[in-house]
Amino acid sequence: MTGETATAPDGVRGQAAGAPAAPGVKGNGLLLVGVLGGMFLAMLDQTIVGTALPSITAELGGGGLYTWVVTAYLLTSTVTVPLYGRLSDVYGRKPLLLIGVTVFLLGSVLSGAAQDMGQLIAFRGVQGLGAGALLPLSLALVADLFPPEQSGRVQGALGGIMAASYIAGPFLGGVFTDQTSWRWAFFVNIPLGLALLAIIVRKLPRVRGIGGSRPDYLGIAVFTAAISSLLIGLTEHGLDDHTWTSAPVVGPLAASVVLLVAFVLVERRAVQPIIPLHLFRSRTYTIVNIASFCTAACLYAGAVFLPRYFQEAQGQSATSSGLHIYPLMLAMLVGSVVTGALIGRTRRYKPWLLAAPFLSVVGAVLCTRLAVDTPSWALVGWMVLMGLGVGPMLSGLTVAIQSSVPPEHIGTASANLTFFRQVGGSVALAIAGTLYTTVVRDQAVTHHTLEQAHAAAAASVIPWLAAVGAAVAVIALIFLPNLTVNLRQGPRVPALAE
């Protein structure tokens, strides 16, 4: 493929060229609720367990396996994201989404009933196997079900839901742990998931995919091994006694590099590749994925380290820390929704994507002044700036990447965007976690209180993580083609322009 590819000329993007088009926006209100619900469930379970983990380990034991409760879910959900996306392009969205939700619910039930840490880790892995379908297929369904003139606004709503789930997770985990039991952090998925299944069965039309030969089983196996090795190495690095050069870290990371090279070689020869490499010939497609990888650092800087600051430096409870980062959540929501509307009105996404990271940089740099006694009004202002910078990236990047591929690759493109965001977040957290621990240790040695040490760590990690991620994203986005999104035909691109 050379250059950008326009979307279907009839104004409604189906799942495959020549496939019957899905219905337009009329009557799709309940389906939109289902799409939003699926995304919320997938993103919520990435964060809801964090605040419940101390209670989980107190009841089940296995403190040494603490981080693997999160890693097992992250690993399986990250690995399966591109697989669900590609397979949904081939076989249709509905069957893959039904499989994903069913497996996710099974994992939720089993996790809530776990009797020891080994069981919980295994069942969280099952949860992740299903969750890998929810986010990318939700993004793809927007392109399938809603006409292009409304996709910007709907993607804005999806970005807002994504932001809300990152912030609501720690808060709800704290509420369930404090008021009922940590098991409800898993059981809460059951009624929501069953309602989602009912909507999918009754309302989601069955639109055939592009079909083709058997799946690329060798590519799936090599890809799974490569990404699993990467995430295992990053997780091992997060342990106190493991440095970047220790065997449990460098071994899996080196293996992941070798396996990724092998994966590229396999995909180049595959008849039905899981990740079609020719899509990366599109400059927009490649740049958007790079930006998604980098801006994950901005997202995780606020969603992960601000709650830790509130709890460790200011002594707030898990529930209270969740409430205190609402300004960040609301700003991300506003930024996402407004950007979606602006893209729909101006038919351009580059100006808004290029401007947003500067707000993140300003908010992050102000966070260098974090201290134990930082006034609330200042924190609110800094969080709002960071949120307004992150929000547009959640919706705008989705519109950009879906506009850069033909209809038969919408699921693949949406999945890869999610995949690069999750891997980028994992890499950023592994590096930032080491910095945080180092600063706390050094500050404690110099006779600061533990609270002051945690405040100093937050003042180092949050600006570094968010500012570097935003700066690299800006550099990449400068080279993004300044295309017009034609509401009837996708982006207008001169032949062989790229």
Side-chain angles (χ1 to χ4, degrees):
M1 184 176 71
T2 59
E4 306 303 334
T5 305
T7 51
D10 60 359
V12 178
R13 285 175 272 192
Q15 285 181 236
V25 70
K26 185 177 180 180
N28 273 347
L30 188 58
L31 261 180
L32 178 59
V33 172
V35 169
L36 295 175
M39 172 175 285
F40 185 77
L41 279 178
M43 304 302 290
L44 184 71
D45 264 69
Q46 290 187 11
T47 57
I48 193 172
V49 176
T51 48
L53 271 177
S55 296
I56 292 174
T57 53
E59 180 175 330
L60 300 182
L65 300 173
Y66 188 98
T67 58
W68 281 99
V69 176
V70 176
T71 301
Y73 180 89
L74 181 63
L75 193 156
T76 54
S77 63
T78 300
V79 166
T80 54
V81 158
L83 309 185
Y84 277 116
R86 181 57 178 157
L87 292 175
S88 76
D89 283 337
V90 176
Y91 300 108
R93 312 273 186 250
K94 187 169 185 174
L96 271 298
L97 194 55
L98 286 172
I99 291 171
V101 175
T102 301
V103 174
F104 178 80
L105 286 178
L106 175 63
S108 298
V109 172
L110 293 173
S111 296
Q115 299 302 305
D116 58 52
M117 285 292 279
Q119 290 183 11
L120 181 59
I121 291 169
F123 298 151
R124 282 282 283 170
V126 174
Q127 248 194 324
L129 288 175
L134 299 181
L135 183 56
L137 299 193
S138 295
L139 296 174
L141 279 170
V142 169
D144 292 342
L145 298 170
F146 297 92
E149 63 267 22
Q150 299 198 16
S151 65
R153 291 192 293 272
V154 178
Q155 292 291 359
L158 292 180
I161 290 295
M162 190 183 301
S165 63
Y166 272 114
I167 308 304
F171 170 69
L172 291 176
V175 170
F176 287 134
T177 301
D178 293 342
Q179 304 300 324
T180 56
S181 166
W182 60 264
R183 297 181 185 276
W184 279 99
F186 303 108
F187 290 151
V188 69
N189 296 325
I190 298 172
L192 297 176
L194 290 175
L196 179 59
L197 275 178
I199 292 174
I200 295 169
V201 171
R202 295 186 54 127
K203 293 293 184 178
L204 183 62
R206 175 67 186 270
V207 182
R208 64 181 175 86
I210 60 176
S213 58
R214 68 177 185 174
D216 175 22
Y217 294 117
L218 179 58
I220 291 173
V222 176
F223 178 79
T224 299
I227 303 306
S228 297
S229 297
L230 173 64
L231 295 179
I232 288 171
L234 294 174
T235 300
E236 288 293 329
H237 175 258
L239 301 178
D240 292 338
D241 57 345
H242 289 163
T243 65
W244 285 110
T245 56
S246 61
V249 176
V250 73
L253 292 181
S256 72
V257 172
V258 174
L259 288 166
L260 284 172
V261 172
F263 174 71
V264 171
L265 297 176
V266 169
E267 293 300 273
R268 291 180 65 179
R269 300 174 61 90
V271 177
Q272 195 69 261
I274 289 298
I275 298 181
L277 299 181
H278 70 271
L279 294 180
F280 289 95
R281 297 174 190 167
S282 161
R283 187 157 47 131
T284 294
Y285 185 86
T286 301
I287 289 174
V288 169
N289 278 313
I290 292 172
S292 181
F293 182 94
C294 296
T295 54
C298 307
L299 175 63
Y300 281 81
V304 174
F305 290 101
L306 277 173
R308 190 169 185 178
Y309 161 79
F310 285 121
Q311 293 182 49
E312 302 288 356
Q314 296 195 338
Q316 297 180 23
S317 67
T319 304
S320 178
S321 69
L323 289 172
H324 273 76
I325 52 176
Y326 265 37
L328 177 68
M329 177 199 73
L330 294 175
M332 290 168 70
L333 174 62
V334 170
S336 179
V337 172
V338 169
T339 299
L342 288 172
I343 291 174
R345 175 167 297 189
T346 64
R347 298 186 297 160
R348 292 185 181 274
Y349 44 75
K350 181 175 180 177
W352 319 115
L353 292 177
L354 199 55
F358 288 99
L359 296 176
S360 293
V361 171
V362 174
V365 170
L366 289 171
C367 285
T368 57
R369 304 168 62 185
L370 280 172
V372 173
D373 57 351
T374 300
S376 297
W377 62 265
L379 281 168
V380 168
W382 303 346
M383 284 189 285
V384 166
L385 286 171
M386 290 181 64
L388 290 176
V390 172
M393 310 306 288
L394 301 179
S395 56
L397 291 178
T398 304
V399 173
I401 203 166
Q402 290 183 346
S403 298
S404 71
V405 298
E408 63 267 24
H409 290 301
I410 288 290
T412 299
S414 303
N416 285 343
L417 182 74
T418 302
F419 169 76
F420 281 105
R421 180 183 291 124
Q422 291 188 188
V423 173
S426 299
V427 173
L429 288 179
I431 298 172
T434 299
L435 176 61
Y436 191 99
T437 301
T438 301
V439 174
V440 169
R441 183 178 60 246
D442 293 346
Q443 290 289 317
V445 169
T446 56
H447 308 293
H448 288 80
T449 66
L450 191 57
E451 290 78 10
Q452 290 173 327
H454 279 286
S460 298
V461 169
I462 294 174
W464 177 88
L465 194 60
V468 170
V472 177
V474 166
I475 293 173
L477 290 169
I478 288 173
F479 298 96
L480 188 69
N482 190 24
L483 304 178
T484 298
V485 180
N486 190 307
L487 296 183
R488 303 298 298 175
Q489 296 182 329
R492 289 201 307 266
V493 187
L496 303 178
E498 296 178 40

